[in-house]
Amino acid sequence: MSHALPAPCPDEDVVWRLPETGSGHRLSLLVLPHAGGNAHAYAPWRDALSAEVRLLIGQYPGRGARFAEPLPTTMADLAGPVVHALPADADDLVILGHSMGSLVAFEVARALTAAGRPPRALVVSACRAPFLPNPAKVYPDRLTDDELVAAIKERGGTEDGVLDEPELREIVLPSLRADFALDDDYRHEGPARSLSCPVTVIGGREDPIVPVSALGRWSEVTDGPCSTATLPGGHFYFQQQGERFFALLEDVLDRASAADRGALV
């Protein structure tokens, strides 16, 4: 007996659209979560961004309203639905990813560039360049549930209460395993310079997962300018350095907005 696949989720379940708090938006910021992450974790960023920035957040399969969807097995399973679900008026897009989300962000930016709709800018956080091997593989298929939970807690970024509650843990662990398996194995092997937009790389100076030395070489993915900044802290450095992190991000958004205004003059 065959089982029908679940129907695709509505676009607003794939890409959350948190409205700007002003009278209109000058830019859209698309945020792609880390491995095991979900859109809920990044929704509070709305309060830290300028009123005229529209916040879009990707929600991956296997969580939230997409819980019934098959778990991702390729990076395209994460990036493809996001590209499809972007608002029609998102030509003002800046894309940001954290950790594995940076690789998803790269794939989204690459797809948009190939379609003649390049983003205004790409911001990658705490992640290796996409053509480099993962410097801190998790090997989730080799770990028991308890071992995987311990590895995730060591990285940070996931509420311990979720991982310590047996019923909640049973719900989230499958998507965690799927995400970390993807992050372990992903390497981009296509054309080196797939992008044309500016790239900003940000990382934590004490990050044991992606050390500062692993942040380099993102400049090789774009024909545009590339800059790197580091802040004190570990893999989720922005949780302790929020003010400085959002100042860096707002600078990227301001430059992307100014560049567009210059193009229209």
Side-chain angles (χ1 to χ4, degrees):
M1 179 177 175
S2 62
H3 296 277
L5 292 174
C9 276
D11 287 350
E12 58 267 25
D13 291 334
V14 178
V15 174
W16 287 22
R17 308 179 192 191
L18 280 70
E20 65 279 359
T21 55
S23 58
H25 66 273
R26 63 181 171 93
L27 279 177
S28 298
L29 174 66
L30 171 65
V31 176
L32 284 312
H34 56 281
N38 60 64
H40 297 81
Y42 293 86
W45 284 26
R46 171 63 277 166
D47 295 334
L49 295 167
S50 297
E52 63 271 24
V53 173
R54 177 173 60 172
L55 179 60
L56 309 171
I57 312 174
Q59 182 77 297
Y60 301 146
R63 61 218 84 187
R66 304 185 69 192
F67 181 77
E69 291 188 39
L71 292 172
T73 59
T74 69
M75 203 61 72
D77 293 337
L78 300 179
V82 170
V83 173
H84 175 79
L86 287 172
D89 62 346
D91 291 334
D92 58 353
L93 193 64
V94 173
I95 307 174
L96 179 149
H98 178 67
S99 194
M100 182 199 74
S102 296
L103 303 176
V104 183
F106 167 72
E107 288 292 351
V108 171
R110 192 168 70 89
L112 291 174
T113 301
R117 301 162 49 206
R120 301 270 186 88
L122 173 65
V123 182
V124 293
S125 170
C127 188
R128 68 197 186 274
F131 49 81
L132 296 177
N134 190 330
K137 291 188 176 185
V138 175
Y139 300 106
D141 57 318
R142 304 180 187 178
L143 302 180
T144 65
D145 286 354
D146 288 341
E147 290 170 338
L148 181 59
V149 166
I152 294 166
K153 285 185 175 181
E154 185 177 358
R155 287 174 173 246
T158 301
E159 294 183 15
D160 288 353
V162 173
L163 297 175
D164 291 336
E165 174 60 44
E167 291 184 359
L168 293 176
R169 190 170 89 164
E170 185 177 349
I171 292 173
V172 302
L173 277 183
S175 61
L176 286 166
R177 287 188 180 278
D179 286 359
F180 281 114
L182 279 178
D183 194 23
D184 276 1
D185 295 338
Y186 172 84
R187 288 183 75 174
H188 173 65
E189 297 181 351
R193 298 191 184 277
S194 305
L195 308 181
S196 57
C197 65
V199 175
T200 298
V201 188
I202 311 175
R205 292 174 195 157
E206 293 80 44
D207 185 352
I209 307 302
V210 184
V212 172
S213 60
L215 296 175
R217 299 188 65 183
W218 273 98
S219 61
E220 297 178 36
V221 306
T222 184
D223 288 323
C226 182
S227 60
T228 302
T230 59
L231 294 174
H235 196 54
F236 285 84
Y237 62 89
F238 56 78
Q239 293 178 341
Q240 293 77 42
Q241 301 292 332
E243 185 174 347
R244 296 176 67 181
F245 170 74
F246 283 106
L248 286 172
L249 181 55
E250 286 288 356
D251 182 60
V252 173
L253 297 174
D254 287 344
R255 283 187 278 119
S257 181
D260 180 63
R261 288 196 301 270
L264 295 176
V265 173

